[in-house]
């Protein structure tokens, strides 16, 4: 069975977000119900299995009557605000939105150990990209990550009114999916 891992910084933001919305200890409870071995000590630079997280977020979305993709968008936005205003602050000070978006494949690989992010076009004010190699169990999660992280990164780099829209979800094979999306912003 394939292992799909992401960095702990997203897990930390997910824990804080869920505990704020559903009460202290909710994240740990949901993760343990989803089969995670541990859910208490989370380190930002450590890799964690995303499948139990996706299951926990799906349960949280049902409890909150909020689509999973929207929930993931909120958490990805928080992750970007936290990480990009601390870890990557110097890079973003000198990078324009178009340059930040040109780093999408590297940014994705920094946070996610599966799938791939690709650039289809990168014009000032309009970026089109795709993510490939996603199992169905994390498709909504991945869409939310693009929708939350990318507009936040663009705005931190000086873009205005940034939005990310999912244009297409398509099967690549029996159990793998691709996502095509666009980011629009003003300079």
């Amino acid at each position: 069975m394939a292992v799909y891992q992401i960095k702990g910084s997203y897990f930390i933001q997910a824990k804080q977000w869920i505990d704020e919305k559903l009460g202290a200890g909710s994240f740990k409870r949901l993760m343990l119900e989803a089969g995670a071995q541990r859910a208490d000590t989370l380190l930002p630079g450590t890799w964690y299995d995303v499948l139990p997280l996706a299951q926990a977020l799906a349960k949280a979305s049902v409890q909150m009557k909020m689509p999973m993709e929207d929930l993931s968008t909120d958490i990805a936005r928080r992750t970007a605000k936290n990480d990009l205003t601390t870890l990557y602050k110097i890079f973003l000070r000198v990078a324009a939105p178009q340059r930040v978006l040109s780093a999408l494949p590297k940014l994705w690989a920094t946070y996610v150990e599966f799938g791939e992010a690709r650039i289809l076009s990168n014009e000032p004010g309009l970026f089109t990209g795709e993510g490939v190699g996603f199992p169905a169990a994390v498709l909504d999660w991945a869409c939310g990550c693009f929708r939350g992280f990318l507009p936040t990164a663009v705005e931190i780099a000086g873009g205005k009114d940034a939005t990310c829209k999912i244009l297409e979800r398509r099967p690549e094979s029996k159990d793998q999916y691709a996502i095509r999306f666009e980011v629009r912003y003003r300079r």
Side-chain angles (χ1 to χ4, degrees):
M1 183 172 161
V3 176
Y4 300 98
Q5 296 186 327
I6 63 171
K7 280 285 178 74
S9 58
Y10 184 94
F11 270 80
I12 291 167
Q13 295 304 318
K15 178 185 183 307
Q16 291 173 357
W17 193 88
I18 287 175
D19 284 352
E20 286 170 11
K21 303 288 184 187
L22 297 176
S26 294
F27 178 80
K28 181 177 180 178
R29 178 182 48 77
L30 290 168
M31 287 295 291
L32 293 174
E33 287 173 7
Q37 299 300 314
R38 298 182 64 199
D40 47 359
T41 305
L42 297 169
L43 302 171
T46 300
W47 293 99
Y48 297 94
D49 186 357
V50 74
L51 294 175
L53 176 66
Q55 290 174 11
L57 295 178
K59 285 183 177 186
S61 74
V62 169
Q63 289 178 24
M64 296 171 48
K65 297 179 175 77
M66 177 181 198
M68 165 70 159
E69 187 177 318
D70 292 349
L71 187 148
S72 180
T73 299
D74 285 354
I75 297 168
R77 196 175 287 128
R78 285 177 67 132
T79 303
K81 284 179 184 172
N82 182 69
D83 288 3
L84 299 179
T85 57
T86 56
L87 301 174
Y88 300 103
K89 189 175 189 175
I90 293 171
F91 169 70
L92 287 171
R93 273 193 195 156
V94 298
Q98 191 174 8
R99 183 158 181 228
V100 168
L101 290 167
S102 72
L104 173 63
K106 184 176 173 121
L107 277 170
W108 182 261
T110 298
Y111 288 93
V112 181
E113 203 174 52
F114 65 92
E116 181 183 349
R118 298 176 181 160
I119 299 167
L120 300 178
S121 67
N122 190 3
E123 302 299 322
L126 178 60
F127 174 90
T128 306
E130 71 177 356
V132 298
F134 300 108
V138 300
L139 190 60
D140 287 341
W141 170 83
C143 288
C145 287
F146 288 123
R147 282 184 44 215
F149 196 94
L150 294 177
T152 305
V154 165
E155 289 181 353
I156 291 170
K160 308 255 188 287
D161 302 321
T163 61
C164 179
K165 179 180 179 184
I166 304 301
L167 302 174
E168 176 185 32
R169 302 168 190 230
R170 68 180 184 280
E172 292 184 295
S173 65
K174 180 183 173 194
D175 59 351
Q176 296 287 304
Y177 291 83
I179 303 161
R180 191 168 54 89
F181 55 89
E182 70 177 17
V183 177
R184 292 182 180 270
Y185 60 93
R186 291 185 305 109
R187 300 184 306 165

